[in-house]
Amino acid sequence: MKLPRALPILAVLPALLAATACSGESTGSPTEKPKASATQSADEKEAAEAKRLGAFDAKALEKIAITGRTGGFDAKKIARTEVEAGRGMEADQKACQPLASLIGGFTHMPAVSTVHRSLQPGDAANATVGSMWLASHSEDDATRVMKELRRAVTECPKGFKTLGLTYGKVESLPTPKLGDEAVGYRITGDIGKQKVPMTYTVVRSGGVVAAFYGVNMLDPKKAAIPEPVIKAQLERIADAKG
């Protein structure tokens, strides 16, 4: 099942998330691929910018992103075309933009590079599914991302709209003691006639913002991605930073 472009990949029902997880990587048709020289030039430019800012470029970020069974969840790469479906989401209220951008799978401040993973439980009895992504910034920019995200959670309790979708409630959750700083919150999305509570744990480790999204249609209080998964990812980031 393909995800409609009108719906952001990381914001909808578990069935769509599961379908995304099973899709694997998408390379697209030959006509959609950029020319090798153009790709190389873009990669070189990104690598230079990453070096200037002390950030990870896409290749380095890909190496440190969890893959396979971690903390009881299977982390799998997400097709690039489906990831891009969530880029550029705009909230109808400026203060809520950090929340809207994260629903789409990106930080509201452009990152040097971003990688995504779907997360599915290895235990069939576990109803929590979700995704995670790493966004590489300079440390100053990553700190600003977190500051403005905390402000958005506080200033947008009644939610917002984006791409014709309504997110009617934003609740702050206890701050997780993870990384250099962290933010926890829950957003309730109105998908058709159904209320979908979506739980986010966003952690900064140096210049990397790691976002973990979970949904559990049976018990929203159990929707957060478990800390063992998050800690495993943070350890990989710390090891890469040396």
Side-chain angles (χ1 to χ4, degrees):
M1 179 170 55
K2 290 293 184 181
L3 182 70
R5 284 199 171 273
L7 296 178
I9 181 174
L10 307 174
V12 289
L13 298 175
L16 292 179
L17 285 165
T20 296
C22 294
S23 65
E25 284 191 281
S26 174
T27 56
S29 66
T31 57
E32 294 173 339
K33 293 183 179 180
K35 294 182 179 179
S37 58
T39 301
Q40 184 178 15
S41 176
D43 289 346
E44 290 174 348
K45 183 181 294 186
E46 179 187 90
E49 179 68 0
K51 184 177 181 180
R52 184 182 72 83
L53 296 174
F56 292 102
D57 61 21
K59 290 182 179 179
L61 203 61
E62 184 66 40
K63 288 181 180 179
I64 64 175
I66 57 174
T67 304
R69 182 65 61 89
T70 305
F73 278 72
D74 290 321
K76 298 181 181 180
K77 294 182 181 181
I78 298 175
R80 180 176 295 180
T81 53
E82 294 177 353
V83 168
E84 290 300 319
R87 189 186 290 276
M89 292 184 65
E90 294 186 8
D92 62 345
Q93 302 174 54
K94 185 177 180 180
C96 306
Q97 186 58 48
L99 300 169
S101 293
L102 282 177
I103 285 174
F106 297 89
T107 51
H108 66 287
M109 292 180 62
V112 174
S113 59
T114 307
V115 299
H116 297 76
R117 295 288 188 268
S118 66
L119 296 173
Q120 289 195 89
D123 182 356
N126 186 349
T128 298
V129 295
S131 56
M132 60 147 283
W133 53 102
L134 305 178
S136 179
H137 295 266
S138 69
E139 188 159 352
D140 285 347
D141 281 354
T143 301
R144 180 180 166 190
V145 166
M146 298 297 289
K147 179 181 179 180
E148 294 179 359
L149 175 61
R150 277 192 296 271
R151 183 187 303 155
V153 172
T154 300
E155 295 184 359
C156 301
K158 295 183 179 180
F160 54 93
K161 293 182 180 180
T162 179
L163 292 184
L165 299 174
T166 297
Y167 299 91
K169 187 177 183 181
V170 179
E171 306 168 78
S172 179
L173 298 177
T175 302
K177 295 181 180 179
L178 297 165
D180 294 319
E181 58 178 319
V183 180
Y185 61 94
R186 182 179 295 123
I187 296 180
T188 300
D190 299 327
I191 310 297
K193 296 182 179 180
Q194 194 166 18
K195 302 289 185 181
V196 183
M198 304 175 293
T199 300
Y200 289 82
T201 305
V202 185
V203 186
R204 180 180 69 82
S205 177
V208 178
V209 175
F212 299 82
Y213 155 76
V215 63
N216 185 317
M217 299 301 291
L218 300 180
D219 188 349
K221 293 182 179 179
K222 296 181 180 180
I225 299 301
E227 285 198 5
V229 178
I230 299 174
K231 288 180 177 178
Q233 179 60 78
L234 294 177
E235 287 174 5
R236 290 179 64 88
I237 296 171
D239 289 345
K241 291 191 297 185

